[in-house]
């Protein structure tokens, strides 16, 4: 099998190269091109926020019929929920951080670092919303054990630690984070659709992985809508996720004093 080299930017370290089997690179390139073609479909690229809103509404309505049978994914301890959704923001940062840097550093290292600051903004948004959801659930709930109220337990955590059940208003954090994460990943992956230079196996693998994560997020978002929470709890979580994406990528980021929008790479002459 023939081998090819991928140069590493000199500012990262001494000049060196990664040896990658060319056959494997060809396979990855085919997968990348298929994902690029998928995201070029206007309905998917432009209507993704509405797709999430529609899935939330339809899924919650289906749940309200109580006709949906239990499946592996109706158990919150399924593998995707335990090892992906519960640490979804960690997966998002793990894959997006190097991807944003690699896709922009050739145009400008300064701009690459500026673009990476969008992840700081996104993390602040994630933390603020999730903590607010926790606060609302604690502020609106009471603890019950054996159908007897226990007012001495004032938070969900203390109530459950004592073996009780908490009945606060639980806005779906899953609906929020899965929709928000998928929307910002879709935004950050957009430059790959027009990228004709400076591609390498690392960037391609990150792109494939990000697409895989987006599909997991969409699937688990549907499962959340069908099996957990109610219509308004799922709807509010989804609306807040879409709103957070819209305010940043559609209102703030196009302005000069912001992390900026992902660049479309210049074509190789």
């Amino acid at each position: 099998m023939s081998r090819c080299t991928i140069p590493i930017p000199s500012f990262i370290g001494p000049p060196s190269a990664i040896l990658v089997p060319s056959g494997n690179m060809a396979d990855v390139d085919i997968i990348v091109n298929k994902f690029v073609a998928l995201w070029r479909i206007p309905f998917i690229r432009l209507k993704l926020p509405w797709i999430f809103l529609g899935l939330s509404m339809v899924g919650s309505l289906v749940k309200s019929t109580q006709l949906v049978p239990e499946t592996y994914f109706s158990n919150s301890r399924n593998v995707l929920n335990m090892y992906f959704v519960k640490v979804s923001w960690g997966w998002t940062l793990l894959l997006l951080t190097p991807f944003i840097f690699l896709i922009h550093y050739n145009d400008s290292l300064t701009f690459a670092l500026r673009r990476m600051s969008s992840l700081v903004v996104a993390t602040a948004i994630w933390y603020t919303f999730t903590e607010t959801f926790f606060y609302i659930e604690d502020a609106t709930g009471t603890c019950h054990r054996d159908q007897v109220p226990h007012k001495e337990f004032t938070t969900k955590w203390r109530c459950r630690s004592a073996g009780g059940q908490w009945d606060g208003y639980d806005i779906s954090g899953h609906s929020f984070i899965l929709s928000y994460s998928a929307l910002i990943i879709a935004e950050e992956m957009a430059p790959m659709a027009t990228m004709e230079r400076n591609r390498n196996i690392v960037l391609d693998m990150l792109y494939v992985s990000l697409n895989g994560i987006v599909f997991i997020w969409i699937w688990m978002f549907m499962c959340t809508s069908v099996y957990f929470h109610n219509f308004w709890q799922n709807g509010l979580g989804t609306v807040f996720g879409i709103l957070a994406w819209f305010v940043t990528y559609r209102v703030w980021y196009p302005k000069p004093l912001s992390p900026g929008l992902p660049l479309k790479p210049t074509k190789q002459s």
Side-chain angles (χ1 to χ4, degrees), residues 144-180:
H144 294 266
R145 189 168 53 186
D146 299 325
Q147 298 183 339
V148 177
H150 288 264
K151 295 184 178 180
E152 66 271 24
F153 300 117
T154 57
T155 66
K156 178 180 179 179
W157 181 81
R158 290 182 177 179
C159 176
R160 288 193 169 180
S161 297
Q165 290 185 324
W166 190 261
D167 64 356
Y169 193 78
D170 185 13
I171 298 174
S172 176
H174 280 27
S175 293
F176 167 77
I177 192 57
L178 294 176
S179 59
Y180 179 54

Side-chain angles (χ1 to χ4, degrees), residues 15-261:
S16 58
I18 298 175
L19 292 177
V20 180
S22 59
N24 292 346
M25 283 193 66
D27 293 339
V28 172
D29 193 58
I30 292 172
I31 297 172
V32 167
N33 290 336
K34 288 185 179 296
F35 279 131
V36 166
L38 178 66
W39 286 108
R40 282 176 175 163
I41 300 173
F43 179 80
I44 295 177
R45 188 180 72 254
L46 301 176
K47 304 299 183 182
L48 189 58
W50 295 103
I51 291 173
F52 275 115
L53 198 58
L55 289 175
S56 177
M57 294 174 64
V58 172
S60 295
L61 289 173
V62 170
K63 179 180 183 296
S64 68
T65 66
Q66 299 182 342
L67 298 176
V68 183
E70 290 189 1
T71 68
Y72 175 73
F73 290 101
S74 63
N75 185 335
S76 62
R77 297 192 65 81
N78 68 77
V79 170
L80 291 183
N81 190 57
M82 293 296 295
Y83 297 104
F84 285 89
V85 177
K86 286 188 178 295
V87 287
S88 56
W89 196 245
W91 280 109
T92 299
L93 292 179
L94 179 67
L95 296 173
L96 265 187
T97 301
F99 180 82
I100 291 174
F101 180 78
L102 289 174
I103 207 166
H104 290 300
Y105 80 84
N106 278 303
D107 291 291
S108 167
L109 175 59
T110 301
F111 184 72
L113 296 175
R114 177 186 170 194
R115 286 267 43 260
M116 289 175 67
S117 70
S118 66
L119 296 179
V120 177
V121 174
T123 300
I125 289 172
W126 160 76
Y127 181 82
T128 300
F129 272 97
T130 52
E131 288 299 310
T132 300
F133 295 164
F134 291 145
Y135 175 80
I136 291 173
E137 187 175 10
D138 283 344
T140 59
T142 54
C143 185
H144 294 266
R145 189 168 53 186
D146 299 325
Q147 298 183 339
V148 177
H150 288 264
K151 295 184 178 180
E152 66 271 24
F153 300 117
T154 57
T155 66
K156 178 180 179 179
W157 181 81
R158 290 182 177 179
C159 176
R160 288 193 169 180
S161 297
Q165 290 185 324
W166 190 261
D167 64 356
Y169 193 78
D170 185 13
I171 298 174
S172 176
H174 280 27
S175 293
F176 167 77
I177 192 57
L178 294 176
S179 59
Y180 179 54
S181 179
L183 286 169
I184 66 173
I185 289 174
E187 290 284 351
E188 298 297 343
M189 291 193 302
M192 287 290 285
T194 54
M195 196 167 192
E196 297 182 6
R197 63 184 181 88
N198 299 322
R199 286 262 303 274
N200 58 54
I201 189 66
V202 176
L203 188 62
D204 283 354
M205 289 300 296
L206 285 169
Y207 182 69
V208 171
S209 299
L210 284 166
N211 275 281
I213 283 292
V214 168
F215 284 110
I216 291 175
W217 290 173
I218 292 173
W219 171 252
M220 293 307 292
F221 181 91
M222 290 192 295
C223 291
T224 297
S225 300
V226 171
Y227 292 118
F228 304 98
H229 300 280
N230 61 36
F231 181 91
W232 292 108
Q233 291 169 345
N234 283 322
L236 282 173
T238 305
V239 167
F240 285 132
I242 295 172
L243 183 65
W245 158 80
F246 182 83
V247 169
T248 50
Y249 282 87
R250 292 295 181 267
V251 177
W252 181 27
Y253 289 0
K255 300 183 184 301
L257 296 177
S258 74
L261 290 170

